[in-house]
Amino acid sequence: MKSRFWSIVEKLIPNWERMGSTKRKAQIQNIMAFLLAFPLGLWGVIWLITITDLTLLLSRGPLFLLLLIVLVVFFKQQDFFIFLKIRSESFSRFGGSLESIITWSAVLLFGPTAIWLGLLWELLALARNWFTRRQQARFSQNFKNVWWERARNLSLSISTRTFAGLVALSIYRRWGGRFPLIGLNTTTAGLAFYATVIRLLLSGLLWGPFFLLPCCTKEFPFRDSLKEYGKFMFVSLGWAVLVDPFGILAAGIYSQMGLGAYIFFVAGLLLTSSLARLWSHAARQSYVRSQELERLDKLGCELLNAPPNGSTLSTILQKHIPNMFPGTSVEMRVFPDQFTLNSGDIAGLVSEAAWEWLKTETTARYFKPGANLPWGGTWNGPAFIMAPIVEPEFAKVIAGLCFVQTEFDIHEPFENSLPATQALASRLASALQSVRVYHQTLEHQRVTHELVLAGKIQSSFLPSVLPEVPGWELTAILQPALQTSGDFYDFISLSDGNLGILIADVADKGTGAALYMALSRTLLRTYALEYETEPEVVLSAANCRILADTQADLFVTVFYGILDLETGQFTYANAGHNPPYVFNTLSGGVPQPLDRTGLPLGIFAGKTWERQQVFLEPGDVLLLYTDGIPDAENAQHAYFGLDHMLEVVEANLTHPAKEIQSILISEVEDFVGAAPQADDVTLIVVTRDQTGVTGNIELPASISCAQT
């Protein structure tokens, strides 16, 4: 017997083993209830056909019959429902109407033939649902479940209307009951009440196995809430006990007081039914919205408590998104070309053109069957909602959601979920942005740390302590605009008591300029030690090697001079650098520019540079700088300027080199104010004492070692 039952199940539902445990049990429950009720329902229909007497039904007049039909249709259209909480996040819905009052009163007035009023409605409703939902059914992932649920309800409804009703009426007639019901005296009303009770008991016996079967299984999902489940059973089975006796009252009113009183009574029922329907729909919408908000809140809480690196984001989305809107399947994509999740096997149902279109939208859109699609064509599938996930900072679509309706609820239109879908998209946009910002912050911190380290390494290339030479004072400062710099300077101790003075500026800022600076500095120092008296050869050799070793679209301006500390002779070559200035005190401090003697390094191969000479007399000041000083810009976009720089130095020629440097840098900083530093600032000041007394160069060990 057991094997026969499972073979029937496999034939009715070929893929039932692939269903989840809960759905599989629900299907078995539906099929068993159907197999139990269908034979009794079929027997009842045949029995009803054999005893139908249309003459009795028409004896009261076709207009009254038509009124009954209209009332049955209207009351069925005015159905209502209530929700009962079974356990946390689990509700059951019971639906009903006052139609049974009309049909049962008609049965008591016209006999068993009046059962056709309710029965024909059931068959017409079945046909209507079949044709109107046929298109939706092709795409519904759970349509088989819905189909068997409706088949169960139909078979149980027909069996209770026909089999239970006919058995009760047979007993009623044997006990002396008559059609039509005569008055509401104790005898007639009592017999009608007994018949009603028998009918209700038989209906309970038919529906009972459906409710009790799950309780007999070990996997009963509501085992921890039997009390609430019992309430649901009581309401479902007890509704007819509360309503059907009013059918006796309606039949008695018609018999004793006539059609007018019957209509007045029914009008009160219609008002009650309409109010109950409005209330149930309002309760349904309130319940659905509250559930959506609750799910959104739970998702939001988990997203807030999740690690900021997004390591659990995929798990959280897999947990919450598929259950966000019951009766739907969802696909979520993170652009470009990333599938984050896909529930219900709907990939490909919505075309790639739809996802491309979604990248241009900012709000969620609902599409019903038969709708014209903005990306072209007409939609012949189930209703669906597409929502873009828009990054708040840049208003760019970074991901998208597609919810496809797979279960259909006539009481809750799918488009009502649009606001919740939009809210969900906003939550996900914030979550994705937070993950992006977190990783960007980490990357920024990593790069900043590396740049700080690079800046420290670069600073180590500069002289940590300046040489001390009797009769001369040397100062130097470099203020990078960023963590690393494209400027550099150097003091190189040469033989015969000479000192190489180098200042340079790579035509860029940042990391690339710093790397170019490191290479240039190394080459210039190397060739300066090799060609100790020929600055022009040093520039030429460095230029050749720079062009051979790099492919960067950069160049470097260089000023390199060799200072004879005994005589003050300064031999130099200027590769496109800002001209340094010599301020001669004997001539009144008029600045003498040391002009360019060739192009910057790193532009053309085979170029040569001229060598020039100048003498630094006692009291003279030599000023070397990069363009970060004259090009310093304030908030009003005004420049510090070359003339301003020269004026500051001219006004302070009698001061020591350290003070000249400090005064000039302070002037630049005061001029710029709160404006950001736009370029690297490098300044070298060399002064010769008025006495002209000279001595040997005293270099720290670190600089002396660089010569070896």
Side-chain angles (χ1 to χ4, degrees):
M1 183 67 181
K2 185 176 180 180
S3 61
R4 181 179 294 274
F5 172 75
W6 291 120
S7 64
I8 294 174
V9 171
E10 291 176 357
K11 290 180 180 179
L12 295 175
I13 311 174
N15 63 339
W16 79 279
E17 290 185 345
R18 297 197 297 270
M19 294 180 178
S21 175
T22 302
K23 289 184 178 181
R24 186 163 60 243
K25 292 167 187 172
Q27 285 287 55
I28 295 173
Q29 184 181 1
N30 291 333
I31 292 174
M32 291 185 68
F34 172 79
L35 294 177
L36 173 64
F38 180 76
L40 296 176
L42 181 60
W43 181 14
V45 170
I46 296 174
W47 185 2
L48 180 62
I49 293 174
T50 60
I51 64 172
T52 296
D53 184 0
L54 293 178
T55 58
L56 179 60
L57 194 61
L58 295 173
S59 63
R60 299 285 180 175
L63 291 180
F64 184 59
L65 177 61
L66 180 61
L67 173 64
L68 291 175
I69 294 174
V70 171
L71 289 175
V72 168
V73 172
F74 191 84
F75 273 106
K76 291 298 288 188
Q77 293 289 346
Q78 293 296 313
D79 62 330
F80 48 87
F81 43 86
I82 59 175
F83 285 90
L84 294 174
K85 185 175 181 179
I86 302 299
R87 60 179 181 180
S88 178
E89 299 184 359
S90 180
F91 288 76
S92 288
R93 185 183 70 182
F94 165 75
S97 72
L98 301 181
E99 167 268 337
S100 61
I101 297 177
I102 304 300
T103 54
W104 191 238
S105 67
V107 168
L108 293 176
L109 290 172
F110 299 105
T113 305
I115 293 176
W116 283 107
L117 292 174
L119 184 60
L120 289 176
W121 167 260
E122 297 286 354
L123 298 176
L124 289 174
L126 174 65
R128 183 190 63 178
N129 288 335
W130 176 262
F131 287 109
T132 57
R133 297 173 183 264
R134 189 174 182 181
Q135 182 66 30
Q136 295 174 331
R138 291 190 346 212
F139 297 94
S140 175
Q141 301 297 315
N142 298 300
F143 177 69
K144 292 285 187 184
N145 284 1
V146 176
W147 193 94
W148 280 111
E149 181 180 338
R150 290 177 181 165
R152 175 207 71 201
N153 289 337
L154 179 65
S155 62
L156 285 170
S157 179
I158 291 176
S159 62
T160 55
R161 286 183 183 275
T162 58
F163 177 76
L166 291 173
V167 171
L169 292 175
S170 298
I171 297 174
Y172 171 73
R173 297 182 73 172
R174 286 197 175 190
W175 287 352
R178 296 176 56 188
F179 304 110
L181 180 69
I182 304 300
L184 284 175
N185 56 59
T186 305
T187 303
T188 57
L191 289 174
F193 179 76
Y194 293 147
T196 303
V197 171
I198 293 172
R199 173 175 172 268
L200 295 176
L201 289 174
L202 292 174
S203 299
L205 291 175
L206 290 170
W207 278 95
F210 168 74
F211 289 105
L212 296 175
L213 179 63
C215 302
C216 301
T217 62
K218 295 181 180 180
E219 298 83 5
F220 177 53
F222 307 120
R223 187 168 296 280
D224 57 344
S225 52
L226 286 175
K227 183 177 179 181
E228 288 74 15
Y229 186 72
K231 290 180 181 179
F232 173 68
M233 290 176 56
F234 176 78
V235 172
S236 300
L237 297 176
W239 173 253
V241 177
L242 177 65
V243 172
D244 285 8
F246 283 93
I248 304 173
L249 178 60
I253 290 174
Y254 180 84
S255 298
Q256 284 190 341
M257 306 174 67
L259 180 60
Y262 182 83
I263 293 176
F264 182 80
F265 177 76
V266 170
L269 295 178
L270 286 175
L271 179 61
T272 303
S273 181
S274 298
L275 292 175
R277 178 177 175 84
L278 291 175
W279 175 84
S280 62
H281 277 270
R284 166 64 173 171
Q285 291 184 5
S286 176
Y287 160 71
V288 172
R289 300 291 86 80
S290 64
Q291 288 295 295
E292 290 173 349
L293 290 175
E294 185 177 348
R295 296 186 194 104
L296 284 172
D297 287 341
K298 288 184 177 180
L299 172 61
C301 290
E302 287 214 32
L303 290 175
L304 287 175
N305 296 325
N309 60 2
S311 59
T312 62
L313 181 60
S314 178
T315 303
I316 293 174
L317 296 181
Q318 291 283 356
K319 175 183 177 182
H320 289 276
I321 301 299
N323 301 318
M324 187 61 61
F325 303 111
T328 65
S329 293
V330 61
E331 181 177 345
M332 176 179 175
R333 294 190 186 187
V334 178
F335 303 128
D337 304 326
Q338 294 184 34
F339 289 86
T340 300
L341 64 89
N342 184 348
S343 71
D345 193 24
I346 62 169
L349 180 61
V350 178
S351 67
E352 292 297 323
W355 291 103
E356 290 299 320
W357 165 83
L358 188 63
K359 295 177 182 179
T360 65
E361 294 298 300
T362 57
T363 58
R365 291 277 301 274
Y366 166 76
F367 299 94
K368 63 182 179 180
N372 293 323
L373 302 175
W375 54 88
T378 302
W379 181 244
N380 295 318
F384 69 98
I385 291 176
M386 295 197 77
I389 299 175
V390 183
E391 187 180 43
E393 184 176 356
F394 302 107
K396 177 185 177 183
V397 178
I398 56 175
L401 290 166
C402 178
F403 286 96
V404 179
Q405 188 178 20
T406 55
E407 293 183 2
F408 308 96
D409 186 350
I410 61 174
H411 302 292
E412 181 58 30
F414 186 38
E415 60 265 33
N416 288 353
S417 298
L418 265 176
T421 306
Q422 189 67 51
L424 172 62
S426 298
R427 292 279 180 92
L428 295 179
S430 298
L432 292 174
Q433 184 192 31
S434 298
V435 173
R436 179 185 64 81
V437 170
Y438 173 80
H439 286 287
Q440 285 182 344
T441 302
L442 286 184
E443 180 64 17
H444 176 72
Q445 292 175 348
R446 184 187 65 81
V447 171
T448 301
H449 175 74
E450 292 179 354
L451 288 175
V452 170
L453 180 60
K456 291 180 179 179
I457 295 173
Q458 186 182 30
S459 297
S460 69
F461 295 161
L462 304 175
S464 58
V465 180
L466 299 183
E468 296 182 4
V469 183
W472 298 85
E473 184 180 0
L474 298 88
T475 65
I477 187 173
L478 191 156
Q479 295 178 338
L482 303 174
Q483 290 90 341
T484 57
S485 171
D487 288 5
F488 63 97
Y489 67 88
D490 203 357
F491 294 98
I492 306 169
S493 179
L494 304 174
S495 60
D496 300 328
N498 294 334
L499 177 66
I501 301 177
L502 173 68
I503 188 170
D505 182 5
V506 177
D508 200 357
K509 300 186 291 293
T511 307
L515 294 173
Y516 203 83
M517 166 268 198
L519 172 65
S520 302
R521 181 261 182 194
T522 302
L523 292 174
L524 287 167
R525 170 172 273 274
T526 299
Y527 290 121
L529 294 173
E530 184 174 351
Y531 305 105
E532 292 190 342
T533 61
E534 301 172 288
E536 76 281 7
V537 177
V538 171
L539 298 183
S540 180
N543 180 64
C544 181
R545 179 51 58 186
I546 288 173
L547 290 171
D549 291 351
T550 67
Q551 302 295 324
D553 188 19
L554 296 174
F555 61 88
V556 56
T557 64
V558 181
F559 180 91
Y560 176 58
I562 300 172
L563 177 62
D564 188 327
L565 298 172
E566 290 290 335
T567 63
Q569 176 179 294
F570 190 50
T571 305
Y572 67 89
N574 188 341
H577 194 75
N578 300 80
Y581 285 88
V582 175
F583 297 84
N584 189 274
T585 55
L586 297 178
S587 61
V590 177
Q592 175 186 350
L594 306 184
D595 292 325
R596 300 176 179 90
T597 63
L599 294 173
L601 306 187
I603 298 179
F604 298 112
K607 292 294 180 179
T608 59
W609 285 261
E610 295 181 4
R611 176 172 56 180
Q612 300 288 340
Q613 287 184 349
V614 67
F615 280 90
L616 299 180
E617 302 295 343
D620 286 357
V621 176
L622 172 63
L623 182 76
L624 302 96
Y625 61 94
T626 59
D627 55 7
I629 293 179
D631 291 346
E633 186 177 0
N634 63 16
Q636 290 72 40
H637 304 292
Y639 294 99
F640 187 77
L642 179 62
D643 293 339
H644 191 183
M645 180 187 73
L646 297 177
E647 290 173 1
V648 172
V649 177
E650 287 182 55
N652 296 277
L653 289 176
T654 58
H655 292 76
K658 190 68 176 179
E659 289 188 21
I660 296 175
Q661 171 192 287
S662 178
I663 292 171
L664 181 55
I665 292 298
S666 295
E667 285 285 332
V668 172
E669 291 175 347
D670 292 342
F671 175 82
V672 171
Q677 182 178 337
D679 199 0
D680 304 324
V681 171
T682 305
L683 176 65
I684 297 176
V685 180
V686 180
T687 60
R688 188 174 184 184
D689 290 348
Q690 293 283 354
T691 62
V693 177
T694 61
N696 295 325
I697 303 174
E698 296 182 11
L699 293 175
S702 60
I703 298 180
S704 300
C705 290
Q707 302 177 47
T708 60

